[in-house]
Amino acid sequence: DFGGAEKVGNNFFDGCKRLTKVVFSPDMTEISDGMFYNCDSLKTIDIPSQIEYIGKWAFFNCDSLENVSCENIKKIGEESFMGCLKLKEVSLNENVEEILKRAFYKCISLDNLIVTAGTIGDEAFYWCTSLENLSFNENVKSIKTRAFSRCTSLKSVVFNKNIESLGKYSFAGNTALSSVEFGENIEN
């Protein structure tokens, strides 16, 4: 329990291998860079509505993390969930503006996803090898380079009508991909 803390320093719980439960302060508005880096025993994180930003490496290599619920997140930092091998479910809200570079890189258990962010960064979901179905809500406008490459189980992708650009190799190496529905405004 963070009490009334508004902010906690970077890498605050780095390597706390037995940390299993987190209760965020009602005054906290962000999860700092590396805050739970290598916290191997975390399984579920419920991020309350007052938190709008997840910092770089915030949950990097949290090997046991399976579920993440985000009520009001606006920005997910670089490599924030990278290497969370058991992460199966991520609930993103409509307010997500940006998912930065490699945010969910190598989350090999993530299997279904509805993306709500306006911009999806380079390699954001690269090597999510269990991801089978992917759809984008109306907020998504831009998908950067290799954002969904090497998602070898991906079978179907449904783009919304508002997507304007797709980066190079956005879906490269997705050998199981059999169904794609394009939106009407894609330019690149």
Side-chain angles (χ1 to χ4, degrees):
D1 186 347
F2 289 101
E6 291 180 23
K7 188 172 182 178
V8 175
N10 293 350
N11 296 80
F12 196 79
F13 295 106
D14 185 344
C16 291
K17 304 283 186 193
R18 295 183 183 191
L19 182 64
T20 60
K21 184 177 180 181
V22 177
V23 177
F24 293 97
S25 160
D27 298 319
M28 194 174 284
T29 58
E30 70 176 51
I31 296 173
S32 61
D33 293 351
M35 188 171 184
F36 300 102
Y37 193 103
N38 283 324
C39 290
D40 294 343
S41 297
L42 281 177
K43 289 189 177 186
T44 300
I45 291 288
D46 292 315
I47 300 171
S49 62
Q50 80 276 4
I51 295 178
E52 297 180 347
Y53 173 68
I54 298 173
K56 183 176 186 176
W57 306 317
F59 297 96
F60 189 96
N61 278 345
C62 288
D63 293 340
S64 298
L65 190 60
E66 296 175 0
N67 299 297
V68 175
S69 175
C70 307
E71 289 185 36
N72 200 31
I73 294 296
K74 291 188 174 158
K75 189 173 183 182
I76 299 174
E78 287 184 25
E79 300 174 355
S80 51
F81 294 94
M82 184 175 184
C84 292
L85 303 177
K86 292 183 181 176
L87 185 60
K88 185 170 177 64
E89 185 177 336
V90 177
S91 299
L92 299 174
N93 62 33
E94 300 284 323
N95 299 324
V96 179
E97 296 167 3
E98 195 171 12
I99 297 174
L100 295 178
K101 184 164 93 176
R102 295 189 190 114
F104 294 93
Y105 185 100
K106 211 170 185 180
C107 291
I108 60 173
S109 297
L110 192 60
D111 58 5
N112 289 294
L113 188 63
I114 298 172
V115 181
T116 60
T119 301
I120 300 153
D122 295 344
E123 300 179 347
F125 294 90
Y126 191 97
W127 221 315
C128 291
T129 55
S130 294
L131 187 61
E132 291 185 10
N133 300 297
L134 178 62
S135 61
F136 302 94
N137 81 354
E138 300 301 311
N139 296 338
V140 182
K141 304 251 189 281
S142 176
I143 298 171
K144 303 289 185 182
T145 302
R146 291 187 174 94
F148 295 94
S149 290
R150 303 285 180 231
C151 297
T152 54
S153 296
L154 187 61
K155 296 176 183 171
S156 69
V157 177
V158 178
F159 294 103
N160 72 44
K161 65 182 181 186
N162 295 326
I163 291 181
E164 297 169 356
S165 68
L166 295 170
K168 294 178 186 177
Y169 308 106
S170 295
F171 292 86
N174 295 337
T175 55
L177 189 59
S178 61
S179 174
V180 177
E181 292 180 38
F182 284 103
E184 31 188 84
N185 295 326
I186 295 176
E187 295 174 11
N188 293 328

